[in-house]
Amino acid sequence: MAAQSDLRPGEVTVDLPAGFDAGVYFIGRIRTPFKSREECPKNTAESNAVGRVELDPRYAAGLRDLDLYSHAVLLYWMDRARRDLIQQVPAHLGHPRGTFALRSPVRPNPIALAVVEVLGIEGATLTVRNVDCVDGTPLLDIKPYFASTDSVPGAVRPGGRGR
Ligand SMILES: C[S@@+](CC[C@H](N)C(=O)[O-])C[C@H]1O[C@@H](n2cnc3c(N)ncnc32)[C@H](O)[C@@H]1O
C-alpha cells in the first residue's frame, strides 16, 4: 500500500476506477544509494549518483547490445506514491498544477522515466549514472535513448510561458 502524503491546500483528488485495465511485470529493481524519498535528488539532472539495475535473470538476454548506446531510458514504478491526485501543489511552486503537467511520482499510474548514462553491463546487472529513485524501486522497462528522436532542443519549460 502506498504511503498517503497529506493533502496541501488547493490539491484535488480523483476517484480512481474500481479495477485495473492491464497488468505489468516488474522486470527488476533499481538499486540506489537513497533509502527514502526525502534522500532522493529531485530529478536525474540533479543526480550524479550511480545505481545498479538488477534485472530478473530471465530477462538478461534482453540487455544484449544496449552497450552500443551511451544512454538509456528507464521506466519505473513509483511504488511509494499515492495515485489519486489530479491537481497538485508542488512545494517549490506554491500553487496547483495539473498532474499531467508535472513530473511528480504521484499520478494514476505512478510511472517515472529517467535518461541515464550506461556505465556497464554484467550478466543481468546494468550499472548507470543519474538515478533519482528510492533503493529497490521496481523497474518496468529499459529502452535505448536516441538523441535524434528523443531530444527536442527548442522545447520550453515551466516559466517559459510565464506560469
Ligand atoms: C520528481 S520524481 C521524478 C522521477 C522521474 N525522473 C521522472 O521524471 O518521471 C523524483 C522524486 O520521486 C520521489 N521518489 C523516488 N523514488 C520513489 C518511489 N519508489 N516511490 C515514490 N516516490 C519516489 C523522490 O521524492 C524523488 O525526488
Side-chain angles (χ1 to χ4, degrees):
M1 184 70 178
Q4 299 289 294
S5 42
D6 292 337
L7 283 184
R8 296 186 174 130
E11 292 191 320
V12 179
T13 60
V14 66
D15 286 333
L16 293 168
F20 297 108
D21 296 310
V24 295
Y25 297 115
F26 290 162
I27 60 168
R29 299 265 166 184
I30 306 174
R31 310 310 309 259
T32 76
F34 314 117
K35 300 298 176 206
S36 69
R37 287 178 292 183
E38 293 70 28
E39 282 179 43
C40 291
K42 288 280 160 265
N43 52 55
T44 52
E46 291 186 13
S47 173
N48 250 331
V50 171
R52 285 190 329 278
V53 176
E54 294 180 349
L55 273 193
D56 179 329
R58 79 181 72 220
Y59 304 117
L63 292 175
R64 180 175 173 172
D65 296 329
L66 185 62
D67 60 355
L68 292 173
Y69 302 94
S70 64
H71 290 75
V73 179
L74 303 183
L75 297 167
Y76 42 109
W77 189 262
M78 296 303 229
D79 57 351
R80 302 187 187 197
R82 62 185 295 161
R83 300 173 66 166
D84 62 344
L85 291 194
I86 207 61
Q87 290 191 4
Q88 304 176 41
V89 179
H92 68 276
L93 212 58
H95 61 82
R97 187 165 275 165
T99 287
F100 304 126
L102 291 168
R103 296 294 284 261
S104 163
V106 174
R107 47 212 316 118
N109 293 311
I111 295 170
L113 74 88
V115 176
V116 294
E117 184 181 354
V118 174
L119 299 178
I121 301 172
E122 205 175 308
T125 301
L126 173 68
T127 305
V128 299
R129 192 193 310 280
N130 314 118
V131 290
D132 67 358
C133 62
V134 174
D135 184 43
T137 295
L139 179 71
L140 296 175
D141 205 358
I142 305 171
K143 302 181 189 226
Y145 172 79
F146 296 158
S148 55
T149 54
D150 297 331
S151 162
V152 183
V156 295
R157 62 185 171 82
R161 293 200 172 103
R163 307 204 298 271

